[in-house]
Amino acid sequence: MSGKPAIDLKFYLKLFWTTFTLSLFTFGGGFVIVSLMRKKMVDQYGWINDEEMMDFITIAQSSPGPIAVNASLMVGYHLAGIPGALISTLGTILPPMIILTFVSIGYQAVAENTWIKAAFHGMRAVVAAIVLQVTWALFKSLAEKKNILPLVLFAAAFVALFVFKVNIMVVMVAMILLSVVLSIHETKKENMS
Amino acid sequence: MNLLLQLFLSFFQIGLFSIGGGYAAMPLIQAQTVEIHKWLTPLEFADLVTIAEMTPGPIAINSATFVGMRVAGISGVLVATFGNVLPSVIIMLIFAKLYERYSEQTLMKHVLEGVRPTVVAAIFTAGLSLLNLAVGSISALDLFALAVFVAAFLFANSKKITLSPITLLLFGALGGIGWEALGF
């Protein structure tokens, strides 16, 4: 078992500072921050063991919302209950909140500048490339499974979203309901056999 | 409806439905901020995605702050980010209690598998609209942007050369500035 630290003011400050710095210096999305979190909290501090951390990461990935926020919530709750969850969440969301507040002010001030416009002109094409490359990688992992259902669902969702401009929330709710029904059906089948 | 309440509800929905992490939130942010509420123009949304790529933190939190600030100042920032993390807080606290119970986890896994094709289709759709914004329509094609797009896609997809998104964006920015300096 991992040794849970003593829950005092010093611990709360350390928890806040740890999640704050992890969030501040981590570029490149949820998976990067989660692996750094594991290094710090499992290897360096010994607050939780590796197995628990892996469980938290799995739950964080399969739940709604940003993975980094979900993972720090789980770890904070595990260590120090609801106050721990709130402190680690605050530590995780404060850096982007502070930075983007200033960026938002700055963007409004410089958006009409010729050179800023020129830079965004180039970057917009790059961002489209990054997003479509991510799509391509995700699509390949869908197609890899040699299962026709995900591809049919992909095609149906794409037609609904792109051709018929159906609201994405509507499509998501429909797919969530469908998955729940299929899951219950499958679990029943497993229990019967 | 009250603007702050609207911000809260929009980002609550984004938090609730962004399943699968990372880019899954992007199409939802686009739907809420551009299509439904028109808080951002499509061009500003493309710039927001660019900015979010270059700054730390989840895209949903970045967007909540950026949009909240633009629409209603600091109170907008607080309301939008609070709305965005609230579904996570509620769901995670429920999961933390249930975490020993196997069946909920199986159900979540099935839901995740079930919505993944939709998430990929949604990111694809959003990617196509970003591409359309960047390079224009077939009749008015921006050849510079198209060349940058093709090069960036090939670099991003290359297994031999691994450049981070930030590096690619910096090249894109320099390219854009250079193109402007040449007087095009």
Side-chain angles (χ1 to χ4, degrees):
Chain A
M1 269 308 287
S2 56
K4 275 200 196 182
I7 309 302
D8 50 18
L9 183 66
K10 216 178 123 198
F11 166 76
Y12 284 129
L13 284 173
K14 192 171 177 186
L15 181 64
F16 177 79
W17 186 243
T18 306
T19 47
F20 186 86
T21 46
L22 274 174
S23 179
L24 182 61
F25 295 114
T26 311
F27 294 81
F31 297 103
V32 181
I33 192 167
V34 162
S35 55
L36 286 173
M37 197 182 280
R38 185 175 162 197
K39 200 176 257 172
K40 225 162 182 121
M41 298 190 172
V42 177
D43 299 343
Q44 200 175 328
Y45 297 158
W47 280 348
I48 50 176
N49 66 40
D50 211 24
E51 205 181 314
E52 290 166 329
M53 190 71 211
M54 290 311 290
D55 280 342
F56 292 158
I57 294 174
T58 308
I59 298 170
Q61 282 172 352
S62 53
S63 309
I67 292 173
V69 174
N70 292 347
S72 48
L73 255 164
M74 294 290 292
V75 172
Y77 184 81
H78 175 79
L79 290 172
I82 292 188
L86 296 180
I87 283 174
S88 56
T89 305
L90 196 65
T92 305
I93 66 172
L94 266 183
M97 279 176 80
I98 296 168
I99 293 169
L100 265 289
T101 297
F102 287 107
V103 168
S104 181
I105 299 167
Y107 177 81
Q108 269 164 294
V110 300
E112 292 308 312
N113 178 287
T114 312
W115 299 106
I116 299 286
K117 265 189 176 165
F120 272 105
H121 178 209
M123 288 194 288
R124 234 170 256 142
V126 175
V127 126
I130 292 171
V131 171
L132 286 173
Q133 195 275 328
V134 167
T135 312
W136 175 234
L138 289 170
F139 181 79
K140 277 196 293 193
S141 69
L142 274 189
E144 242 166 30
K145 286 175 187 146
K146 313 238 184 288
N147 184 349
I148 193 77
L149 183 66
L151 296 178
V152 173
L153 291 177
F154 170 83
F158 181 71
V159 169
L161 293 168
F162 188 74
V163 182
F164 295 106
K165 312 275 178 222
V166 180
N167 185 317
I168 178 175
M169 257 76 71
V170 175
V171 182
M172 285 293 285
V173 170
M175 289 295 178
I176 290 169
L177 291 177
L178 180 68
S179 314
V180 171
V181 170
L182 288 177
S183 173
I184 292 169
H185 181 73
E186 211 166 289
T187 319
K188 268 190 190 153
K189 231 173 32 188
E190 272 167 26
N191 289 346
M192 302 260 277
S193 60
Chain B
M1 208 199 296
N2 182 297
L3 187 62
L4 288 176
L5 185 61
Q6 233 162 32
L7 267 174
F8 174 82
L9 290 176
S10 283
F11 280 93
F12 185 87
Q13 287 176 61
I14 291 167
L16 187 60
F17 288 113
S18 53
I19 306 173
Y23 290 90
M26 195 187 58
L28 292 155
I29 298 164
Q30 188 185 30
Q32 288 289 341
T33 64
V34 181
E35 284 156 27
I36 299 175
H37 294 296
K38 305 198 165 30
W39 288 321
L40 299 179
T41 66
L43 219 56
E44 285 169 339
F45 174 74
D47 291 351
L48 171 59
V49 178
T50 307
I51 291 166
E53 282 283 346
M54 294 192 294
T55 49
I59 183 174
I61 304 289
N62 289 342
S63 304
T65 306
F66 186 88
V67 175
M69 189 71 200
R70 295 210 62 181
V71 175
I74 296 287
S75 51
V77 172
L78 296 176
V79 165
T81 44
F82 178 66
N84 191 237
V85 296
L86 193 58
S88 291
V89 174
I90 297 168
I91 289 164
M92 284 294 108
L93 291 182
I94 294 171
F95 270 152
K97 292 242 182 250
L98 296 173
Y99 142 75
E100 305 284 320
R101 284 172 62 184
Y102 178 72
S103 56
E104 277 77 11
Q105 283 202 50
T106 318
L107 179 66
M108 265 328 281
K109 248 175 231 161
H110 284 155
V111 169
L112 185 67
E113 294 270 300
V115 298
R116 189 165 285 146
T118 306
V119 171
V120 180
I123 300 171
F124 186 36
T125 308
L128 288 178
S129 75
L130 288 175
L131 177 64
N132 181 242
L133 273 173
V135 306
S137 57
I138 308 267
S139 53
L141 210 53
D142 179 341
L143 287 176
F144 163 75
L146 184 64
V148 172
F149 168 78
V150 172
F153 187 91
L154 292 176
F155 275 118
N157 206 39
S158 163
K159 289 205 171 64
K160 283 186 196 134
I161 308 155
T162 45
L163 296 175
S164 73
I166 296 182
T167 314
L168 286 173
L169 285 165
L170 284 179
F171 278 124
L174 289 176
I177 290 169
W179 189 249
E180 178 72 29
L182 289 172
F184 289 99

